[in-house]
Amino acid sequence: MSTGTQQQPVDLFVIGGGINGCGIARDAAGRGLSVALAEMNDLASATSSASTKLFHGGLRYLEYFEIRLVREALIERETLLRAMPHISWPMRFVLPFHRDMRFESTTPTSRLLSFVMPWMKGRRPAWLIRLGLFLYDHLGGRKILPATRTLDLRADPAGAPLQDRFEKAFEYSDCWVEDARLVVLNARDAEDRGARIMTRTRVVTAERSGDLWAVTMRHEATGETETVHARALVNAGGPWVEDIIRNTVRQNTTEGVRLVRGSHIVTRRLFNHDKCYFFQGEDGRIVFAIPYETDFTLIGTTDREHEGAPGEAECTPAERDYLLAFASHYLKRPVTADDIVWTYSGVRPLYDDGASSATAATRDYVLSLDSAPGAPLLNVFGGKITTYRRLAESALEKLGDRLPAVGRPWTAGVPLPGGDFPVDGFDDLVAGLARDFPFLDHRWARRLVRAYGTCARTMLGDARRIDDLGEAFGATLTEREVCWLMDTEYAVTAEDVVWRRSKLGLRLGADRIAAIDAFMAARAAGGKRDAAE
């Protein structure tokens, strides 16, 4: 096994290819810094592909008086929406009201209401929910998204799937986002701006060497090791952030993460409209039921302490049953295990603030700058997908004194690859693509624009007939698209393609996925993009 050493140091080395790591790499590269990023698996292979897939302010966090976090997230919704209208779009959320809704007993709001209104016995009054939604509408300076309104569920189509006991609801705005694609597009843009992105590359050790970090990594595809020197190191390891501090950087720390498992179930489509439901339980928890991939419904999430390895998270039978019962408490037709087509689970690395429960633990991010002599180390704890861009700006601000050449913030409003079109221009883009590539039906054209935006034309290239796209793997996935994903989006295996770059795994059988794997392995052996490049 050979060992190489990069002679010229980079300004910034990032450990971790989730949304925080890739967001920081993109921001830093755009400020003129030289950047390298190493991810031990595929991009977004852990927490960042297992979210509830929402850009949202966190309505529930108002109960914890996390006003700054909610305000920052609400402002970010529209900033991000403008930058990526292909992978993010507005959604309306329906919050049915009933008198048995309760706060979780440990929230600050619950304790306050129990003191001043003990006769409520922990229930959420309608006026308080409406007040919370008023704040939600106005804290972030909303300009694009419509305001909250009250629904009569006896007349509105959103009431049809619900049990007859629900007569009133509040409807408010948040946004959907394709979480794993968000990560990949940040990585692509970082690379376009000069960053070196290395997937399936494990950082073995990182040691201070004078005013530099010596970062030794192993490329899994070849088994070779390489050492890169960097002026600053960012630990954005997500659920592994504490392990990296202790075992890779070999530092003592009193800070740590609280691993909280969030599980989801995907069912056959449960209702025939495009609005989401915000269900509130009598235990104070909330669960979303969201239209998903046209033909399905996404239900989640849970909040459970996770005891095992971060990479081993899965939706347990108890969590599955909890989500089924939660949704069935609202819907006319009970949801059963037979309706489930897929489950997934991710581990959220929340900053350990000593909260009494997983639900109460802060969702805010904490950036900890190691003040030891020599090259700086920034450890990233926690965070929400909605605030990843602001987290990246804050990270560069923290490092600014140690990296004097760092430029000014620039990412607000700058589109990600494929996102250079108006927020209301999606349908026109689909129509234009279907017109210029007439072998595409509307559903296929829509899927490509949702994935690639204006880059869909580049991917299709000079194709004039469906045969020009090469082998058809099923569910509109073709050889042309798989090659694009390998060459421009770091895909190495079929799992990368059908579960992270897309969700076509919901529509493809095991034999088709195996055929994709075989094709990709044969093509990689022929000398195309190497995972360690």
Side-chain angles (χ1 to χ4, degrees), residues 195-350:
R196 183 185 180 198
I197 306 296
M198 296 167 283
T199 65
R200 290 168 168 88
T201 300
R202 182 182 297 272
V203 174
V204 180
T205 62
E207 300 175 333
R208 281 188 173 99
S209 176
D211 292 333
L212 297 174
W213 281 96
V215 184
T216 300
M217 52 194 173
R218 182 174 63 248
H219 302 297
E220 301 296 341
T222 63
E224 294 183 348
T225 62
E226 177 186 359
T227 299
V228 171
H229 291 92
R231 296 183 177 89
L233 180 66
V234 171
N235 171 12
W240 290 271
V241 62
E242 187 176 347
D243 179 72
I244 290 169
I245 296 172
R246 297 183 186 279
N247 299 315
T248 304
V249 184
R250 298 190 180 97
Q251 303 268 328
N252 293 322
T253 182
T254 58
E255 296 177 303
V257 291
R258 187 170 192 163
L259 299 183
V260 176
R261 187 174 64 251
S263 294
H264 302 74
I265 59 176
V266 176
T267 70
R268 289 185 285 272
R269 187 170 181 170
L270 299 178
F271 42 87
N272 294 316
H273 59 75
D274 61 359
K275 296 178 182 178
C276 312
Y277 290 110
F278 180 114
F279 294 150
Q280 301 180 88
E282 295 177 14
D283 60 355
R285 287 282 301 127
I286 63 100
V287 162
F288 295 105
I290 308 173
Y292 188 59
E293 294 290 320
T294 306
D295 300 317
F296 306 96
T297 300
L298 172 64
I299 301 174
T301 180
T302 60
D303 265 322
R304 301 288 176 88
E305 301 284 356
H306 184 74
E307 303 295 339
E312 296 174 358
E314 61 181 25
C315 181
T316 66
E319 289 175 302
R320 175 202 64 199
D321 293 345
Y322 172 81
L323 293 172
L324 290 171
F326 207 126
S328 297
H329 189 66
Y330 276 80
L331 298 171
K332 284 179 181 175
R333 186 181 75 80
V335 192
T336 70
D338 290 339
D339 293 310
I340 297 174
V341 297
W342 183 47
T343 68
Y344 69 90
S345 187
V347 176
R348 294 188 286 271
L350 307 182

Side-chain angles (χ1 to χ4, degrees), residues 8-9 35 80 145 152 329 385 388:
Q8 185 68 27
V35 179
L80 297 173
L145 302 175
D152 181 353
H329 189 66
I385 195 168
Y388 88 90

Side-chain angles (χ1 to χ4, degrees), residues 49 161 167 185 211 218 292 300 323 349 484 497:
S49 60
E167 298 182 354
L185 294 183
D211 292 333
R218 182 174 63 248
Y292 188 59
L323 293 172
W484 166 274
V497 170

Side-chain angles (χ1 to χ4, degrees), residues 81-102:
L81 182 61
R82 289 187 180 94
M84 54 195 81
H86 50 330
I87 63 167
S88 181
W89 56 92
M91 299 188 94
R92 295 290 280 173
F93 288 72
V94 175
L95 193 164
F97 175 77
H98 62 90
R99 67 181 305 275
D100 291 326
M101 287 176 178
R102 280 175 164 77

Side-chain angles (χ1 to χ4, degrees), residues 464-505:
R464 292 294 172 262
R465 300 175 302 128
I466 196 168
D467 292 345
D468 294 335
L469 301 180
E471 183 176 353
F473 295 107
T476 71
L477 181 67
T478 65
E479 180 179 332
R480 175 75 63 93
E481 186 174 357
V482 172
C483 291
W484 166 274
L485 294 173
M486 294 179 73
D487 292 344
T488 67
E489 294 198 2
Y490 316 96
V492 175
T493 70
E495 182 180 352
D496 302 346
V497 170
V498 305
W499 290 117
R500 284 184 286 276
R501 307 307 184 276
S502 73
K503 290 296 180 287
L504 293 175

